[in-house]
């Protein structure tokens, strides 16, 4: 039974237990406490459905361990202090660091938990106004490889129109765990007769739904994509008119593809030659109604950007770019720009990553986290002394945890904004209590349906600030308050909408959102793409100028091209489970009951070979470090032999103790968090 309160009526808003922002209705009890979350029925995005993760917001918001007062590190302990005092002291210490070591000695680190749009831009704005180029974020290892790979080819990241597809190709993504609303689109496509092909070394939940499940060796997707491209080209199965009129570099790509015969692809990837031919023919038959999704499973490898580019080419080849049922070019809302990129470009300042990743800089205007952590420890190219971190727990989520811990501990000033004490707050000088998504209001843009919504603040807790209020208050204590002129988030939202046709009040009263633009296809017919040539780029002169491969060449992952016999297994990490979320939500008992412990998935043959039994504790080691973790022997089809999988986020067995901050994709600096060469040792007593 849902308790209904007359004093505290239900509030329609949006869930941010993950980045899907489903429309919800929040109920409160007679004391005004959040008591239940239901779906809101009329939003076109989630269409009245929510997943079981959403309800966890009740526990998160009311959790007894939630931080409600600022903490200051005193000796090896913590002292509760007043918020105003904490903000005064932090502003003073930031100003001191800047005076003594220059503006770039400060940095901001933003994690996944506040999303990637408005809150991200606010943090970027703060950095710019402060005068530091050192904006660091989870984007250094989250979606940017995909965004950059697709954008290099199309000028933006097109989205799959699965509902209208005839053939759906899912590469390294498992939407039932990671993006439930997308799963429904895939199932809808299947209901309408589309073929679902899932490419994943593991039998993921979506792979169980697939018509064809392909299990390549980890990190070899680029070879498979080139093999498919080769089939489309040699069989004359590509859209010649589109390629001729709207693309550049096709001849170079076709020449490169020629080496990827079905046999060669089988040798590289382990995918049978016949399967390569079969998938290519399905893509050909679908033609303009061929759509694909790329996930995390493509990007945590050192050739991730080029593998993504090779995958992206397939839509141009079969003529499904910006077509119904294909890869649709999404238009943004056109809201005001918050990040101050044009107003304060800071071009003269070197980033703490030594500007080693110019492509990441150009596309995202940010600094690579792995390399910036080195700067803290080595002072090279200069010392990074201070950091304000929000919504992140990199000690658990960034590669090489031991180094992350050392680097954060070496900072002169670390301020962390959090809901709970974590492994990263433990290293802080100040920990500030942060608002949850139910205590913020912000704009959410749903690109694939070109709709905007605005969340509603359900409650406020005195002394617990939302992100905007915090940046505002520090800026006003320093000398750049002018960049944070809005009284509160609501005023900011109103300003953001001023450059659009959306009326602020109307949006406030539209829990179903407002579509800001009809979806149109074939926009390339009358509008150049945002690539340097204005066309689809098989070959990128922009990349070539920076010394990278002009086309998306394939390179085998290191565990294959430079195998080390002492580390015979390839470890995939981070496959999502529905109720685990990075290192978050571990304090929700209901969720914990479902996923009580970490484990490493292993093929039965590998277990037999090592004499390992189900549930046995083993030592898992890479050249970076070791952890102890129980083994889960999965069924034969669930994973390919020689490959292991362990989900990240567990402090009890932190896989990022094993992952690489020293092997990075040369184009965008993404770390090798998958395909890690490891060994397994029994821990005989
Ligand atoms: N429940 C839950 N949902 C989440 C998150 C979470 O932590 N928990 N995190 C959110 C975030 S920040 C992100 S970025 C997204 C990620 O969302 P997705 O990209 O969908 O990530 P996963 O669900 O982990 O699916 C990745 C799949 O890639 C496979 N894979 C690994 N290596 C390879 C490879 O070399 N090739 C191929 N083809 N496949 C491979 C894995 O086996 C796994 O099944 O999820 C978001 N949603
Ligand atoms: N080995 C391995 N590691 C991975 C991955 C992988 O696949 N394999 N995936 C990577 C990916 S894609 C990502 S996105 C990262 C995520 O890495 P992080 O960004 O570090 O994500 P979390 O561990 O969820 O940490 C988020 C923290 O924010 C806090 N929080 C929650 N809500 C709020 C809020 O509203 N405001 C504030 N201020 N704080 C809040 C939570 O309590 C939590 O401690 O992990 C990466 N790490
Ligand atoms: S998918 Fe689930 S957790 Fe994510 S926003 Fe929707 S309801 Fe919330
Ligand atoms: Mo992510």
């Amino acid at each position: 039974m849902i308790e209904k309160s007359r004093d505290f009526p239900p509030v329609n808003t949006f869930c941010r237990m993950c980045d899907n922002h489903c429309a919800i209705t929040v109920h409160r009890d007679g004391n005004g406490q959040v008591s239940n979350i239901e779906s809101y029925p009329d939003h076109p995005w989630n269409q009245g459905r929510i997943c079981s993760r959403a309800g966890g917001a009740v526990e998160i918001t009311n959790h007894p361990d939630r931080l409600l007062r600022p903490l200051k590190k005193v000796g090896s302990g913590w002292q509760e202090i007043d918020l105003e005092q904490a903000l005064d002291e932090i502003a003073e210490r930031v100003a001191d660091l800047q005076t003594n070591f220059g503006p770039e000695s400060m940095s901001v680190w933003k994690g996944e938990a506040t999303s990637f749009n408005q809150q991200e831009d606010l943090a970027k704005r703060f950095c710019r106004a402060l005068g530091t180029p050192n904006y660091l974020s989870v984007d250094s290892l989250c979606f940017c490889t995909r965004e950059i790979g697709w954008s290099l080819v199309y000028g933006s990241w097109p989205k799959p129109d699965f509902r209208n597809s005839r053939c759906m190709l899912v590469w390294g993504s498992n939407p039932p765990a990671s993006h439930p609303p997308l799963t429904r689109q895939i199932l809808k496509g299947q209901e309408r007769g589309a073929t679902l092909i899932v490419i994943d070394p593991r039998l993921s939940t979506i792979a169980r739904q697939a018509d064809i499940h392909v299990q390549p060796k980890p990190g070899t997707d680029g070879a498979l994509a080139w093999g498919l491209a080769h089939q489309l080209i040699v069989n004359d199965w590509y859209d010649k008119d589109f390629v001729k009129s709207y693309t550049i570099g096709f001849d170079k790509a076709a020449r490169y593809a020629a080496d990827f015969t079905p046999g060669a692809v089988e040798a590289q990837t382990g995918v049978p030659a016949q399967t390569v031919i079969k998938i290519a023919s399905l893509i050909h038959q679908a033609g303009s109604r061929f759509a694909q999704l790329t996930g995390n499973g493509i990007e945590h490898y050192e050739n991730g950007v080029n593998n993504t580019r090779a995958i992206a080419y397939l839509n141009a080849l079969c003529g499904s770019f910006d077509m119904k049922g294909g890869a649709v070019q999404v238009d943004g809302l056109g809201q005001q720009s918050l990040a101050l990129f044009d107003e304060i470009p800071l071009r003269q300042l070197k980033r703490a990553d030594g500007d080693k990743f110019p492509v990441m800089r150009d596309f995202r205007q940010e600094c690579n986290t792995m390399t910036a952590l080195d700067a803290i420890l080595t002072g090279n190219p200069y010392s990074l002394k201070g950091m304000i971190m929000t919504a992140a727990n990199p000690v658990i989520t960034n590669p090489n945890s031991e180094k992350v811990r050392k680097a954060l501990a070496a900072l002169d000033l670390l301020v962390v904004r959090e809901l709970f004490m974590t492994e990263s707050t433990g290293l802080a000088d100040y920990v500030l209590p942060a608002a949850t998504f139910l205590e913020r209001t912000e704009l959410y843009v749903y690109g694939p349906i070109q709709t905007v919504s605005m969340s509603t603040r359900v409650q406020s807790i005195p002394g617990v600030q939302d992100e905007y209020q915090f940046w505002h208050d520090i800026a006003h204590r320093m000398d750049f308050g002018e960049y944070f002129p809005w009284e509160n988030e609501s005023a900011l939202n109103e300003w953001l909408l001023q450059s659009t046709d959306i009326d602020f009040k109307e949006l406030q009263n539209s829990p179903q959102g407002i579509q800001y633009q009809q979806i149109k296809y074939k926009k390339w017919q009358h509008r150049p793409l945002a690539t340097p040539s204005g066309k689809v780029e098989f070959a990128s002169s922009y990349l070539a100028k920076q010394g990278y491969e002009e086309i998306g060449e394939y390179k085998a992952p290191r565990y294959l091209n430079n195998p080390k016999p002492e580390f015979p297994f390839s470890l995939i990490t981070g496959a999502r489970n529905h109720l685990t979320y990075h290192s978050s939500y571990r304090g929700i008992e209901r969720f914990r009951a479902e996923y009580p412990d970490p484990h490493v998935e292993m093929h039965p043959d590998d277990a037999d070979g090592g004499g390992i039994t189900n549930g046995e504790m083993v030592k898992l080691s890479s050249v970076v470090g070791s952890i102890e973790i129980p083994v889960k022997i999965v069924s034969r089809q669930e994973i390919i032999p020689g490959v292991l999988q362990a989900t990240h986020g567990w402090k009890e067995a932190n896989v990022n103790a094993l992952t690489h901050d020293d092997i990075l994709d040369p184009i965008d600096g993404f770390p090798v968090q998958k395909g890690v060469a490891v060994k397994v040792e029994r821990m005989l007593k």
Side-chain angles (χ1 to χ4, degrees), residues 228-528:
L228 296 172
H230 174 58
Q231 285 302 302
L232 296 179
I233 296 166
V234 290
N235 291 311
D236 248 0
W237 285 345
Y238 67 100
D239 184 335
K240 289 191 204 59
D241 292 341
F242 180 80
V243 165
K244 185 158 171 267
S245 306
Y246 296 105
T247 74
I248 60 163
F250 170 76
D251 291 343
K252 284 181 184 152
R255 272 198 300 279
Y256 185 77
D259 287 342
F260 291 83
T261 59
V265 173
E266 177 167 343
Q268 285 280 353
T269 65
V271 176
Q274 282 314 313
T275 308
V276 179
I277 297 167
K278 165 98 184 148
I279 296 175
S281 83
L282 287 167
I283 296 174
H284 164 57
Q285 284 159 28
S288 66
R289 294 201 184 225
F290 165 66
Q292 6 176 36
L293 174 71
T294 44
N296 247 192
I298 304 302
E299 66 189 351
H300 289 148
Y301 293 94
E302 69 195 294
N303 203 47
V305 173
N306 275 342
N307 287 349
T308 307
R309 291 169 76 202
I311 292 168
Y313 294 158
L314 297 173
N315 291 99
L317 286 173
C318 72
S320 71
F321 172 57
D322 212 21
M323 300 293 279
K324 187 171 183 176
V328 178
Q329 205 188 9
V330 163
D331 280 330
L333 168 66
Q335 72 269 44
Q336 309 258 39
S337 163
L338 254 183
L340 294 177
F341 288 160
D342 297 327
E343 295 86 340
I344 311 180
L346 298 182
R347 273 195 205 96
Q348 75 290 3
L349 294 179
K350 205 184 192 61
R351 289 167 173 75
D353 64 6
D355 289 336
K356 283 197 189 119
F357 302 101
V359 177
M360 184 73 176
R361 181 201 58 208
D362 291 353
F363 276 80
R364 301 292 309 173
Q365 303 272 6
E366 60 175 289
C367 174
N368 178 274
T369 58
M370 279 57 66
T371 321
L373 289 168
D374 288 333
I376 300 173
L377 291 169
T378 63
N380 191 8
Y382 54 77
S383 287
L384 202 57
K385 297 283 187 188
M387 184 183 291
I388 298 176
M389 177 181 290
T390 186
N393 187 13
V395 170
I396 299 290
T397 52
N398 252 57
N400 193 353
S401 309
E402 203 36 51
K403 194 190 78 181
V404 179
R405 197 185 297 276
K406 274 196 197 123
L408 296 181
L411 287 165
D412 285 8
L413 173 67
L414 176 62
V415 177
V416 181
R417 287 177 45 74
E418 251 295 350
L419 310 184
F420 299 102
M421 292 305 270
T422 68
E423 296 65 33
S424 301
T425 58
L427 304 168
D429 300 289
Y430 295 88
V431 181
L432 299 179
T436 65
F437 69 90
L438 294 176
E439 295 145 7
R440 290 198 290 269
T441 160
E442 59 197 303
L443 302 182
Y444 289 139
V445 178
Y446 304 80
I449 52 170
Q450 301 195 170
T451 293
V452 58
S453 291
M454 185 158 61
S455 63
T456 307
R457 183 188 290 258
V458 177
Q459 65 171 30
S460 299
I461 302 176
V464 176
Q465 294 188 300
D466 60 63
E467 302 295 304
Y468 174 70
Q469 199 62 49
F470 169 74
W471 301 123
H472 168 279
D473 284 9
I474 297 289
H476 282 265
R477 279 172 168 75
M478 299 183 70
D479 58 359
F480 52 94
E482 74 206 82
Y483 290 109
F484 292 83
W486 308 282
E487 197 189 336
N488 53 34
E489 283 185 314
S490 209
L492 168 64
N493 289 344
E494 199 163 356
W495 176 81
L496 283 169
L497 289 169
Q498 274 169 16
S499 57
T500 73
D501 296 333
I502 307 289
D503 179 68
F504 171 75
K505 285 257 156 12
E506 191 188 339
L507 188 58
Q508 222 171 18
N509 295 319
S510 303
Q512 73 285 8
I514 297 179
Q515 190 174 38
Y516 52 85
Q517 202 170 293
Q518 294 289 325
I519 302 199
K520 298 187 196 95
Y521 303 108
K522 287 192 182 184
K523 297 182 281 293
W524 35 260
Q525 275 184 329
H526 45 82
R527 193 171 85 186

Side-chain angles (χ1 to χ4, degrees), residues 48-345:
R49 295 188 194 172
I50 51 170
C51 76
S52 48
R53 207 152 58 221
V58 177
E59 282 100 322
I60 294 279
T61 311
N62 302 325
H63 204 285
D65 297 340
R66 196 167 156 200
L67 284 162
L68 297 173
R69 298 264 296 158
L71 299 174
K72 178 180 178 177
K73 178 79 69 52
V74 180
S76 57
W78 296 102
Q79 184 194 348
E80 275 194 6
I81 60 169
D82 173 68
L83 178 63
E84 295 301 312
Q85 184 195 337
L87 296 171
D88 286 345
E89 289 185 17
I90 291 165
E92 201 179 308
R93 289 190 60 180
V94 172
D96 280 353
L97 285 180
Q98 292 205 295
T99 310
N100 295 328
F101 302 102
E104 58 274 50
S105 64
M106 263 307 293
S107 61
V108 167
W109 184 310
K110 192 212 68 91
E112 201 272 342
T114 53
S115 286
F116 301 97
N117 304 307
Q118 190 160 325
Q119 306 304 339
E120 168 145 349
D121 284 349
L122 274 174
K124 285 182 169 168
R125 184 177 186 91
F126 181 84
C127 281
R128 295 279 153 152
L130 189 66
T132 175
N134 293 321
Y135 172 76
L136 307 163
S137 90
V138 72
D139 303 9
S140 286
L141 46 68
C142 183
F143 62 97
C144 290
T145 290
R146 289 172 275 166
E147 178 178 74
I148 291 171
W150 282 93
S151 301
L152 283 163
V153 179
Y154 296 107
S156 64
W157 187 3
K159 297 291 181 280
D161 182 16
F162 284 139
R163 280 171 219 265
N164 297 304
S165 296
R166 290 213 189 99
C167 178
M168 306 179 284
L169 195 44
V170 174
W171 302 79
S173 174
N174 185 26
S178 59
H179 301 100
L182 195 54
T183 314
R184 286 191 288 279
Q185 293 173 28
I186 293 174
L187 297 180
K188 190 89 194 152
Q190 240 181 345
E191 269 167 37
R192 292 183 171 178
T195 310
L196 172 63
I197 304 165
V198 173
I199 302 178
D200 195 316
R202 298 168 55 250
L203 182 66
S204 63
T205 320
I206 197 69
R208 289 173 200 272
Q209 295 287 329
D211 301 291
I212 301 177
H213 174 210
V214 177
Q215 294 181 283
K217 294 177 203 161
T220 63
D221 300 76
L224 178 54
W226 277 111
L228 296 172
H230 174 58
Q231 285 302 302
L232 296 179
I233 296 166
V234 290
N235 291 311
D236 248 0
W237 285 345
Y238 67 100
D239 184 335
K240 289 191 204 59
D241 292 341
F242 180 80
V243 165
K244 185 158 171 267
S245 306
Y246 296 105
T247 74
I248 60 163
F250 170 76
D251 291 343
K252 284 181 184 152
R255 272 198 300 279
Y256 185 77
D259 287 342
F260 291 83
T261 59
V265 173
E266 177 167 343
Q268 285 280 353
T269 65
V271 176
Q274 282 314 313
T275 308
V276 179
I277 297 167
K278 165 98 184 148
I279 296 175
S281 83
L282 287 167
I283 296 174
H284 164 57
Q285 284 159 28
S288 66
R289 294 201 184 225
F290 165 66
Q292 6 176 36
L293 174 71
T294 44
N296 247 192
I298 304 302
E299 66 189 351
H300 289 148
Y301 293 94
E302 69 195 294
N303 203 47
V305 173
N306 275 342
N307 287 349
T308 307
R309 291 169 76 202
I311 292 168
Y313 294 158
L314 297 173
N315 291 99
L317 286 173
C318 72
S320 71
F321 172 57
D322 212 21
M323 300 293 279
K324 187 171 183 176
V328 178
Q329 205 188 9
V330 163
D331 280 330
L333 168 66
Q335 72 269 44
Q336 309 258 39
S337 163
L338 254 183
L340 294 177
F341 288 160
D342 297 327
E343 295 86 340
I344 311 180

Side-chain angles (χ1 to χ4, degrees), residues 469-659:
Q469 199 62 49
F470 169 74
W471 301 123
H472 168 279
D473 284 9
I474 297 289
H476 282 265
R477 279 172 168 75
M478 299 183 70
D479 58 359
F480 52 94
E482 74 206 82
Y483 290 109
F484 292 83
W486 308 282
E487 197 189 336
N488 53 34
E489 283 185 314
S490 209
L492 168 64
N493 289 344
E494 199 163 356
W495 176 81
L496 283 169
L497 289 169
Q498 274 169 16
S499 57
T500 73
D501 296 333
I502 307 289
D503 179 68
F504 171 75
K505 285 257 156 12
E506 191 188 339
L507 188 58
Q508 222 171 18
N509 295 319
S510 303
Q512 73 285 8
I514 297 179
Q515 190 174 38
Y516 52 85
Q517 202 170 293
Q518 294 289 325
I519 302 199
K520 298 187 196 95
Y521 303 108
K522 287 192 182 184
K523 297 182 281 293
W524 35 260
Q525 275 184 329
H526 45 82
R527 193 171 85 186
L529 303 185
T531 52
S533 63
K535 296 191 171 190
V536 176
E537 298 202 346
F538 288 104
S540 165
S541 54
Y542 160 79
L543 279 186
K545 263 189 229 130
Q546 322 236 20
Y548 298 112
E549 300 83 9
E550 198 177 5
I551 53 170
E553 290 182 18
Y554 172 68
K555 286 196 190 67
R558 199 167 297 203
Y559 80 90
L560 283 178
N561 72 13
N562 186 14
K564 296 214 162 33
E566 66 274 33
F567 295 107
F569 289 95
S570 166
L571 173 71
I572 295 176
T573 71
R576 274 60 173 157
N577 299 308
H578 188 57
L579 294 179
T580 61
Y581 204 85
H582 307 298
S583 70
S584 299
Y585 311 158
R586 302 297 153 122
I588 303 177
E589 279 171 24
R590 284 184 301 131
F591 290 11
R592 192 71 193 229
E594 203 150 324
Y595 292 101
D597 298 303
H599 56 249
V600 57
E601 297 165 15
M602 186 182 269
H603 190 276
D605 290 350
D606 292 329
D608 283 352
I612 294 167
T613 53
N614 195 33
E616 180 177 334
M617 189 69 103
V618 293
K619 184 171 171 193
L620 208 56
S621 313
S622 71
V623 289
V624 180
S626 307
I627 56 170
E628 293 175 10
I629 186 167
V631 169
K632 179 178 178 188
I633 303 176
V634 295
S635 65
R636 309 191 73 77
Q637 341 56 292
E638 275 182 79
I639 200 161
I640 52 180
V643 176
L644 308 171
Q645 195 292 129
T647 296
H648 67 305
W650 295 94
K651 66 173 190 291
E652 297 84 348
N654 176 10
V655 284
N656 281 318
L658 314 178
T659 55

Side-chain angles (χ1 to χ4, degrees), residues 15-18 20-22 50-51 53-54 180-181:
C15 176
R16 208 296 161 189
M17 291 294 280
C18 84
N20 283 292
H21 308 143
C22 298
I50 51 170
C51 76
R53 207 152 58 221

